[in-house]
Amino acid sequence: MPETKIAPAPERTAAAEGPAGTRGTTIAVVLCIVTILLAVLDSNIVSSATVPIVRDLDPVHGVDRIPWLIAAYQLAATAALPLYGKLCDSLGAKKIFIGALATFLAGSALCGMAQSMGELIAARAFQGIGGGGLMSVTMVVLRQLGAAGPKDGEDAKAKDGKGAKTKGGDKKGNIGGIIAGAGMALGPWLGGALSDHAGWRWIFYVNLPVGIAVLIAAAVVVKLPAHTTRHRIDFLGAGLAAAFSTALLLVTEWGGEDYAWTSPTIVGLAAAAAAALGLFLWRQATAAEPILPLSLFGIRTMRYGFAIQGLVGVAMMGSIVYVMIYLQVVRGIAATSAGLFLVPMAIGMTVVGLVSGRLVAAGWSQKTFVVSGTVSASAALALLTTLDTDTGLWTLRGAMLLMGVGFGQLIGQLIELVQDTAPASQLGVATTGVRFFQTLGTALGASLFGAVLSRVYAAKGPGGSTSDISRLTGTARAHALDAFVSSADVVFACATGTMVLALILATRLPGTRTKA
């Protein structure tokens, strides 16, 4: 497929490109934070509203289509990520931000109006195309707002040998990462609350007034540098990346659940993913302007940053999902109430993320917080391996708070670390690359931990699957709950090992923000 050339943007005056002052920049940052919340909440808000959705749209066969309902958004968002990064670098982040937000809002309206499960699944996929762009592109916008906005002190003026900033500027990308983590923790609770008190359609309709206000304000307030350099868009590379991520996510979604791991469907999808990955790497090595330049992996900070972010995605899946399952299956807590146990995690992520961002802006090494974050998250996951059928709930809340302290340092600082290191012309692809690896890590974590839980429970349980626990009584139920807790503890042990590996990689990061 030939590469498509993008015509250069018209020249603008320096005044037109400049920031709108401190107040305008602050308003723009608030708009970005609201946008990130919308995107992250919608990525997992549906999981706690599946029962009323199925009851309303398809009470007979709807349960069988729930996996597609949940996966459609994530599949579309992940597949579009690499293309969004290159479009940002080629056309400018503001244009792509507005386009992604408009797509997301149109998808939200279609979701709310859906009259069947098929319509809702298709609308979720369309919404996901916009949602994937919102998360990654908004991080780029935040970064450019920090670069264009007022700076403090001499650190803000410091440059490395290639003109990339090494210090200074407002660490707005860090704030965006923390808000994203908090939204990820609170999404299931909010979805349950909205579906219980306002109806499931409001999960989507609530996006419209907020999103439209952001869209209008962003068009007026957000001021970013104009792009006047000619670039090419490698649509073939973007298509191969989408094919690889889609096939891989379907393997992790279906493997061991809808299809056996050795079934022709899963084997075929795995082979397709491997082939698409090979072709993608070949394309990136030969394309004039690749969608994800392999040269980025030659930079030590970028290489380790991508790997650590992927491992964080794996571990977060193990902590959030399986803590929720433990609370509902073992402790009998309703889904909405179980979501409240994520509040300590959200608080820890937000507070420590803001504090670490300020300390880094004051001159502290980002490596310090990445190492500290992996240590804290590892300790929290290790604490979760001690869960029993009667573990104190405040012990669990403490573990989730410690988890938030760990992930709060990691999510924001890893994004900042990669953005600080990336060449200015590749800021978009570097930022979406971080998100891409985290998303793939999350998918792989879901598959790995699901398989581990099923295997261990099958070996220790009374027979049947974990879905049968709710129907058991007496001694059989007690035996099943003990087996389930033992299985969950093994899952948390695997997540702990994942974070220890991330810690080892973190110690190999450079101690400064200069290029490796």
Side-chain angles (χ1 to χ4, degrees), residues 171 174-175 178 348-370 372-373 404-414 416 513:
K171 309 311 286 181
N174 182 65
I175 296 175
I178 301 312
M349 293 178 72
T350 304
V351 173
V352 78
L354 294 174
V355 171
S356 63
R358 288 184 176 274
L359 291 176
V360 168
W364 288 47
S365 170
Q366 289 166 315
K367 177 179 177 180
T368 299
F369 294 103
V370 175
S372 173
V405 169
F407 287 142
Q409 295 175 77
L410 289 168
I411 292 179
Q413 292 305 328
L414 283 169
E416 286 288 339
R513 286 179 250 172

mmCIF file of all heavy atoms in Angstrom, residues 171 174-175 178 348-370 372-373 404-414 416 513:
data_model
loop_
_atom_site.group_PDB
_atom_site.id
_atom_site.type_symbol
_atom_site.label_atom_id
_atom_site.label_comp_id
_atom_site.label_asym_id
_atom_site.label_seq_id
_atom_site.Cartn_x
_atom_site.Cartn_y
_atom_site.Cartn_z
ATOM 1 N N LYS A 171 4.630 19.864 34.926
ATOM 2 C CA LYS A 171 4.556 18.432 34.650
ATOM 3 C C LYS A 171 3.096 18.019 34.504
ATOM 4 O O LYS A 171 2.538 17.267 35.291
ATOM 5 C CB LYS A 171 5.267 17.648 35.748
ATOM 6 C CG LYS A 171 6.670 18.123 36.063
ATOM 7 C CD LYS A 171 7.543 18.313 34.845
ATOM 8 C CE LYS A 171 7.976 16.979 34.268
ATOM 9 N NZ LYS A 171 8.845 17.150 33.104
ATOM 10 N N ASN A 174 2.150 14.278 33.895
ATOM 11 C CA ASN A 174 2.073 13.465 35.089
ATOM 12 C C ASN A 174 0.683 13.521 35.697
ATOM 13 O O ASN A 174 0.124 12.510 36.108
ATOM 14 C CB ASN A 174 3.109 13.946 36.108
ATOM 15 C CG ASN A 174 3.131 13.115 37.355
ATOM 16 O OD1 ASN A 174 3.469 11.945 37.303
ATOM 17 N ND2 ASN A 174 2.755 13.699 38.480
ATOM 18 N N ILE A 175 0.089 14.729 35.748
ATOM 19 C CA ILE A 175 -1.263 14.872 36.274
ATOM 20 C C ILE A 175 -2.237 14.052 35.437
ATOM 21 O O ILE A 175 -3.107 13.352 35.959
ATOM 22 C CB ILE A 175 -1.684 16.352 36.283
ATOM 23 C CG1 ILE A 175 -0.780 17.150 37.230
ATOM 24 C CG2 ILE A 175 -3.142 16.505 36.690
ATOM 25 C CD1 ILE A 175 -1.049 18.640 37.214
ATOM 26 N N ILE A 178 -2.079 10.381 36.327
ATOM 27 C CA ILE A 178 -2.678 10.054 37.612
ATOM 28 C C ILE A 178 -4.201 10.078 37.517
ATOM 29 O O ILE A 178 -4.887 9.214 38.061
ATOM 30 C CB ILE A 178 -2.205 11.044 38.692
ATOM 31 C CG1 ILE A 178 -0.671 10.997 38.798
ATOM 32 C CG2 ILE A 178 -2.821 10.705 40.028
ATOM 33 C CD1 ILE A 178 -0.097 9.618 38.881
ATOM 34 N N GLY A 348 -4.643 7.059 46.847
ATOM 35 C CA GLY A 348 -3.189 6.893 46.874
ATOM 36 C C GLY A 348 -2.540 7.299 45.568
ATOM 37 O O GLY A 348 -1.509 7.989 45.553
ATOM 38 N N MET A 349 -3.145 6.892 44.445
ATOM 39 C CA MET A 349 -2.601 7.236 43.141
ATOM 40 C C MET A 349 -2.587 8.744 42.925
ATOM 41 O O MET A 349 -1.601 9.315 42.446
ATOM 42 C CB MET A 349 -3.424 6.562 42.033
ATOM 43 C CG MET A 349 -3.309 5.054 42.004
ATOM 44 S SD MET A 349 -4.332 4.300 40.712
ATOM 45 C CE MET A 349 -3.413 4.763 39.272
ATOM 46 N N THR A 350 -3.686 9.399 43.270
ATOM 47 C CA THR A 350 -3.808 10.824 43.006
ATOM 48 C C THR A 350 -2.851 11.640 43.867
ATOM 49 O O THR A 350 -2.110 12.504 43.374
ATOM 50 C CB THR A 350 -5.257 11.290 43.236
ATOM 51 O OG1 THR A 350 -6.134 10.502 42.423
ATOM 52 C CG2 THR A 350 -5.409 12.748 42.881
ATOM 53 N N VAL A 351 -2.838 11.370 45.168
ATOM 54 C CA VAL A 351 -2.021 12.167 46.086
ATOM 55 C C VAL A 351 -0.539 11.980 45.806
ATOM 56 O O VAL A 351 0.208 12.959 45.620
ATOM 57 C CB VAL A 351 -2.350 11.804 47.550
ATOM 58 C CG1 VAL A 351 -1.373 12.500 48.495
ATOM 59 C CG2 VAL A 351 -3.782 12.193 47.886
ATOM 60 N N VAL A 352 -0.095 10.743 45.754
ATOM 61 C CA VAL A 352 1.342 10.524 45.570
ATOM 62 C C VAL A 352 1.772 10.927 44.170
ATOM 63 O O VAL A 352 2.910 11.361 43.955
ATOM 64 C CB VAL A 352 1.710 9.050 45.860
ATOM 65 C CG1 VAL A 352 1.332 8.138 44.685
ATOM 66 C CG2 VAL A 352 3.203 8.906 46.156
ATOM 67 N N GLY A 353 0.859 10.812 43.199
ATOM 68 C CA GLY A 353 1.203 11.237 41.852
ATOM 69 C C GLY A 353 1.454 12.733 41.771
ATOM 70 O O GLY A 353 2.404 13.190 41.135
ATOM 71 N N LEU A 354 0.591 13.501 42.427
ATOM 72 C CA LEU A 354 0.766 14.952 42.429
ATOM 73 C C LEU A 354 2.043 15.352 43.177
ATOM 74 O O LEU A 354 2.784 16.235 42.739
ATOM 75 C CB LEU A 354 -0.458 15.619 43.048
ATOM 76 C CG LEU A 354 -1.766 15.481 42.258
ATOM 77 C CD1 LEU A 354 -2.928 16.061 43.064
ATOM 78 C CD2 LEU A 354 -1.651 16.184 40.915
ATOM 79 N N VAL A 355 2.292 14.684 44.303
ATOM 80 C CA VAL A 355 3.486 15.010 45.091
ATOM 81 C C VAL A 355 4.752 14.664 44.316
ATOM 82 O O VAL A 355 5.696 15.473 44.231
ATOM 83 C CB VAL A 355 3.453 14.265 46.437
ATOM 84 C CG1 VAL A 355 4.795 14.422 47.171
ATOM 85 C CG2 VAL A 355 2.322 14.796 47.311
ATOM 86 N N SER A 356 4.784 13.490 43.723
ATOM 87 C CA SER A 356 5.984 13.085 42.983
ATOM 88 C C SER A 356 6.204 13.985 41.772
ATOM 89 O O SER A 356 7.344 14.303 41.418
ATOM 90 C CB SER A 356 5.874 11.621 42.547
ATOM 91 O OG SER A 356 4.784 11.427 41.664
ATOM 92 N N GLY A 357 5.101 14.424 41.131
ATOM 93 C CA GLY A 357 5.245 15.333 40.001
ATOM 94 C C GLY A 357 5.892 16.644 40.405
ATOM 95 O O GLY A 357 6.757 17.177 39.694
ATOM 96 N N ARG A 358 5.484 17.182 41.551
ATOM 97 C CA ARG A 358 6.079 18.433 42.032
ATOM 98 C C ARG A 358 7.552 18.247 42.396
ATOM 99 O O ARG A 358 8.383 19.120 42.145
ATOM 100 C CB ARG A 358 5.302 18.937 43.246
ATOM 101 C CG ARG A 358 3.917 19.503 42.895
ATOM 102 C CD ARG A 358 3.229 20.074 44.132
ATOM 103 N NE ARG A 358 1.965 20.679 43.775
ATOM 104 C CZ ARG A 358 1.821 21.937 43.349
ATOM 105 N NH1 ARG A 358 2.902 22.700 43.209
ATOM 106 N NH2 ARG A 358 0.633 22.419 43.054
ATOM 107 N N LEU A 359 7.879 17.108 43.003
ATOM 108 C CA LEU A 359 9.268 16.865 43.386
ATOM 109 C C LEU A 359 10.160 16.697 42.163
ATOM 110 O O LEU A 359 11.304 17.161 42.153
ATOM 111 C CB LEU A 359 9.343 15.633 44.294
ATOM 112 C CG LEU A 359 8.722 15.797 45.687
ATOM 113 C CD1 LEU A 359 8.776 14.484 46.457
ATOM 114 C CD2 LEU A 359 9.435 16.908 46.475
ATOM 115 N N VAL A 360 9.644 16.033 41.124
ATOM 116 C CA VAL A 360 10.423 15.900 39.896
ATOM 117 C C VAL A 360 10.640 17.267 39.258
ATOM 118 O O VAL A 360 11.726 17.587 38.770
ATOM 119 C CB VAL A 360 9.725 14.931 38.907
ATOM 120 C CG1 VAL A 360 10.358 15.020 37.524
ATOM 121 C CG2 VAL A 360 9.813 13.503 39.429
ATOM 122 N N ALA A 361 9.587 18.099 39.260
ATOM 123 C CA ALA A 361 9.727 19.447 38.715
ATOM 124 C C ALA A 361 10.753 20.258 39.506
ATOM 125 O O ALA A 361 11.400 21.163 38.961
ATOM 126 C CB ALA A 361 8.375 20.163 38.726
ATOM 127 N N ALA A 362 10.915 19.910 40.795
ATOM 128 C CA ALA A 362 11.890 20.612 41.639
ATOM 129 C C ALA A 362 13.296 20.058 41.491
ATOM 130 O O ALA A 362 14.236 20.591 42.094
ATOM 131 C CB ALA A 362 11.458 20.527 43.108
ATOM 132 N N GLY A 363 13.465 18.991 40.706
ATOM 133 C CA GLY A 363 14.805 18.488 40.438
ATOM 134 C C GLY A 363 15.071 17.054 40.858
ATOM 135 O O GLY A 363 16.157 16.540 40.627
ATOM 136 N N TRP A 364 14.107 16.397 41.489
ATOM 137 C CA TRP A 364 14.303 15.004 41.867
ATOM 138 C C TRP A 364 14.351 14.126 40.618
ATOM 139 O O TRP A 364 13.710 14.412 39.611
ATOM 140 C CB TRP A 364 13.173 14.524 42.768
ATOM 141 C CG TRP A 364 13.201 15.079 44.161
ATOM 142 C CD1 TRP A 364 13.390 16.386 44.517
ATOM 143 C CD2 TRP A 364 13.026 14.358 45.377
ATOM 144 N NE1 TRP A 364 13.338 16.517 45.883
ATOM 145 C CE2 TRP A 364 13.114 15.281 46.441
ATOM 146 C CE3 TRP A 364 12.789 13.023 45.675
ATOM 147 C CZ2 TRP A 364 12.982 14.911 47.770
ATOM 148 C CZ3 TRP A 364 12.655 12.641 47.012
ATOM 149 C CH2 TRP A 364 12.760 13.582 48.042
ATOM 150 N N SER A 365 15.103 13.033 40.700
ATOM 151 C CA SER A 365 15.223 12.118 39.567
ATOM 152 C C SER A 365 13.936 11.316 39.385
ATOM 153 O O SER A 365 13.352 10.807 40.346
ATOM 154 C CB SER A 365 16.392 11.157 39.791
ATOM 155 O OG SER A 365 16.379 10.120 38.830
ATOM 156 N N GLN A 366 13.483 11.195 38.142
ATOM 157 C CA GLN A 366 12.305 10.377 37.860
ATOM 158 C C GLN A 366 12.559 8.906 38.179
ATOM 159 O O GLN A 366 11.653 8.174 38.579
ATOM 160 C CB GLN A 366 11.898 10.546 36.400
ATOM 161 C CG GLN A 366 11.311 11.908 36.096
ATOM 162 C CD GLN A 366 11.223 12.173 34.613
ATOM 163 O OE1 GLN A 366 12.154 11.912 33.873
ATOM 164 N NE2 GLN A 366 10.107 12.720 34.170
ATOM 165 N N LYS A 367 13.812 8.481 38.004
ATOM 166 C CA LYS A 367 14.146 7.091 38.307
ATOM 167 C C LYS A 367 13.835 6.757 39.759
ATOM 168 O O LYS A 367 13.377 5.652 40.071
ATOM 169 C CB LYS A 367 15.630 6.842 38.016
ATOM 170 C CG LYS A 367 16.082 5.428 38.366
ATOM 171 C CD LYS A 367 17.556 5.231 38.047
ATOM 172 C CE LYS A 367 18.018 3.837 38.458
ATOM 173 N NZ LYS A 367 19.455 3.625 38.143
ATOM 174 N N THR A 368 14.039 7.701 40.646
ATOM 175 C CA THR A 368 13.756 7.476 42.067
ATOM 176 C C THR A 368 12.318 7.044 42.280
ATOM 177 O O THR A 368 12.032 6.084 43.011
ATOM 178 C CB THR A 368 14.022 8.766 42.869
ATOM 179 O OG1 THR A 368 15.396 9.136 42.731
ATOM 180 C CG2 THR A 368 13.696 8.570 44.346
ATOM 181 N N PHE A 369 11.395 7.706 41.613
ATOM 182 C CA PHE A 369 9.978 7.413 41.815
ATOM 183 C C PHE A 369 9.537 6.157 41.063
ATOM 184 O O PHE A 369 8.639 5.452 41.513
ATOM 185 C CB PHE A 369 9.137 8.621 41.404
ATOM 186 C CG PHE A 369 9.361 9.808 42.289
ATOM 187 C CD1 PHE A 369 10.139 10.876 41.864
ATOM 188 C CD2 PHE A 369 8.837 9.836 43.572
ATOM 189 C CE1 PHE A 369 10.371 11.957 42.684
ATOM 190 C CE2 PHE A 369 9.063 10.916 44.408
ATOM 191 C CZ PHE A 369 9.837 11.981 43.970
ATOM 192 N N VAL A 370 10.155 5.886 39.929
ATOM 193 C CA VAL A 370 9.831 4.640 39.233
ATOM 194 C C VAL A 370 10.269 3.444 40.073
ATOM 195 O O VAL A 370 9.536 2.464 40.228
ATOM 196 C CB VAL A 370 10.484 4.604 37.838
ATOM 197 C CG1 VAL A 370 10.249 3.262 37.165
ATOM 198 C CG2 VAL A 370 9.931 5.723 36.958
ATOM 199 N N SER A 372 10.794 3.491 43.399
ATOM 200 C CA SER A 372 9.956 3.493 44.597
ATOM 201 C C SER A 372 8.556 2.969 44.292
ATOM 202 O O SER A 372 7.969 2.226 45.090
ATOM 203 C CB SER A 372 9.879 4.912 45.158
ATOM 204 O OG SER A 372 8.959 4.990 46.226
ATOM 205 N N GLY A 373 8.021 3.331 43.130
ATOM 206 C CA GLY A 373 6.685 2.869 42.758
ATOM 207 C C GLY A 373 6.619 1.368 42.571
ATOM 208 O O GLY A 373 5.667 0.710 43.012
ATOM 209 N N GLY A 404 -2.121 1.978 45.348
ATOM 210 C CA GLY A 404 -2.255 3.283 44.723
ATOM 211 C C GLY A 404 -0.997 4.120 44.848
ATOM 212 O O GLY A 404 -0.609 4.835 43.914
ATOM 213 N N VAL A 405 -0.332 4.045 46.014
ATOM 214 C CA VAL A 405 0.917 4.767 46.209
ATOM 215 C C VAL A 405 1.960 4.302 45.186
ATOM 216 O O VAL A 405 2.721 5.110 44.625
ATOM 217 C CB VAL A 405 1.437 4.560 47.644
ATOM 218 C CG1 VAL A 405 2.861 5.080 47.796
ATOM 219 C CG2 VAL A 405 0.507 5.259 48.639
ATOM 220 N N GLY A 406 1.988 2.993 44.921
ATOM 221 C CA GLY A 406 2.942 2.472 43.943
ATOM 222 C C GLY A 406 2.607 2.861 42.522
ATOM 223 O O GLY A 406 3.429 3.441 41.800
ATOM 224 N N PHE A 407 1.388 2.564 42.098
ATOM 225 C CA PHE A 407 0.997 2.843 40.722
ATOM 226 C C PHE A 407 0.911 4.346 40.452
ATOM 227 O O PHE A 407 1.107 4.792 39.323
ATOM 228 C CB PHE A 407 -0.341 2.178 40.403
ATOM 229 C CG PHE A 407 -0.247 0.688 40.255
ATOM 230 C CD1 PHE A 407 -1.258 -0.134 40.737
ATOM 231 C CD2 PHE A 407 0.840 0.100 39.640
ATOM 232 C CE1 PHE A 407 -1.172 -1.509 40.605
ATOM 233 C CE2 PHE A 407 0.938 -1.278 39.503
ATOM 234 C CZ PHE A 407 -0.068 -2.089 39.987
ATOM 235 N N GLY A 408 0.613 5.151 41.489
ATOM 236 C CA GLY A 408 0.572 6.591 41.315
ATOM 237 C C GLY A 408 1.921 7.164 40.928
ATOM 238 O O GLY A 408 2.005 8.142 40.170
ATOM 239 N N GLN A 409 2.993 6.576 41.442
ATOM 240 C CA GLN A 409 4.336 7.014 41.055
ATOM 241 C C GLN A 409 4.699 6.526 39.655
ATOM 242 O O GLN A 409 5.404 7.210 38.909
ATOM 243 C CB GLN A 409 5.360 6.487 42.057
ATOM 244 C CG GLN A 409 5.203 7.058 43.457
ATOM 245 C CD GLN A 409 6.160 6.418 44.444
ATOM 246 O OE1 GLN A 409 7.345 6.737 44.473
ATOM 247 N NE2 GLN A 409 5.644 5.514 45.250
ATOM 248 N N LEU A 410 4.186 5.364 39.298
ATOM 249 C CA LEU A 410 4.596 4.746 38.044
ATOM 250 C C LEU A 410 3.892 5.327 36.824
ATOM 251 O O LEU A 410 4.538 5.683 35.836
ATOM 252 C CB LEU A 410 4.349 3.236 38.102
ATOM 253 C CG LEU A 410 5.283 2.447 39.018
ATOM 254 C CD1 LEU A 410 4.762 1.041 39.215
ATOM 255 C CD2 LEU A 410 6.680 2.425 38.411
ATOM 256 N N ILE A 411 2.577 5.406 36.880
ATOM 257 C CA ILE A 411 1.824 5.762 35.680
ATOM 258 C C ILE A 411 2.211 7.132 35.156
ATOM 259 O O ILE A 411 2.516 7.318 33.973
ATOM 260 C CB ILE A 411 0.312 5.690 35.954
ATOM 261 C CG1 ILE A 411 -0.098 4.238 36.183
ATOM 262 C CG2 ILE A 411 -0.474 6.260 34.785
ATOM 263 C CD1 ILE A 411 -1.570 4.065 36.479
ATOM 264 N N GLY A 412 2.213 8.127 36.029
ATOM 265 C CA GLY A 412 2.557 9.471 35.580
ATOM 266 C C GLY A 412 4.025 9.616 35.215
ATOM 267 O O GLY A 412 4.361 10.182 34.169
ATOM 268 N N GLN A 413 4.916 9.081 36.048
ATOM 269 C CA GLN A 413 6.339 9.292 35.812
ATOM 270 C C GLN A 413 6.842 8.543 34.589
ATOM 271 O O GLN A 413 7.749 9.016 33.897
ATOM 272 C CB GLN A 413 7.143 8.876 37.054
ATOM 273 C CG GLN A 413 6.924 9.763 38.254
ATOM 274 C CD GLN A 413 7.197 11.226 37.957
ATOM 275 O OE1 GLN A 413 8.053 11.557 37.145
ATOM 276 N NE2 GLN A 413 6.456 12.117 38.597
ATOM 277 N N LEU A 414 6.282 7.381 34.281
ATOM 278 C CA LEU A 414 6.719 6.651 33.092
ATOM 279 C C LEU A 414 6.346 7.408 31.822
ATOM 280 O O LEU A 414 7.121 7.465 30.862
ATOM 281 C CB LEU A 414 6.110 5.247 33.075
ATOM 282 C CG LEU A 414 6.768 4.237 34.016
ATOM 283 C CD1 LEU A 414 5.934 2.967 34.113
ATOM 284 C CD2 LEU A 414 8.184 3.909 33.541
ATOM 285 N N GLU A 416 5.948 10.684 31.622
ATOM 286 C CA GLU A 416 6.838 11.838 31.583
ATOM 287 C C GLU A 416 8.244 11.443 31.148
ATOM 288 O O GLU A 416 8.896 12.150 30.377
ATOM 289 C CB GLU A 416 6.900 12.498 32.960
ATOM 290 C CG GLU A 416 5.664 13.279 33.333
ATOM 291 C CD GLU A 416 5.534 14.568 32.544
ATOM 292 O OE1 GLU A 416 6.557 15.045 32.021
ATOM 293 O OE2 GLU A 416 4.426 15.096 32.450
ATOM 294 N N ARG A 513 17.320 12.718 33.135
ATOM 295 C CA ARG A 513 16.397 12.738 32.010
ATOM 296 C C ARG A 513 17.091 12.998 30.683
ATOM 297 O O ARG A 513 16.474 13.336 29.693
ATOM 298 C CB ARG A 513 15.320 13.806 32.244
ATOM 299 C CG ARG A 513 14.311 13.408 33.278
ATOM 300 C CD ARG A 513 13.312 14.515 33.470
ATOM 301 N NE ARG A 513 13.484 15.131 34.763
ATOM 302 C CZ ARG A 513 12.857 16.214 35.158
ATOM 303 N NH1 ARG A 513 12.030 16.817 34.353
ATOM 304 N NH2 ARG A 513 13.059 16.710 36.346
#
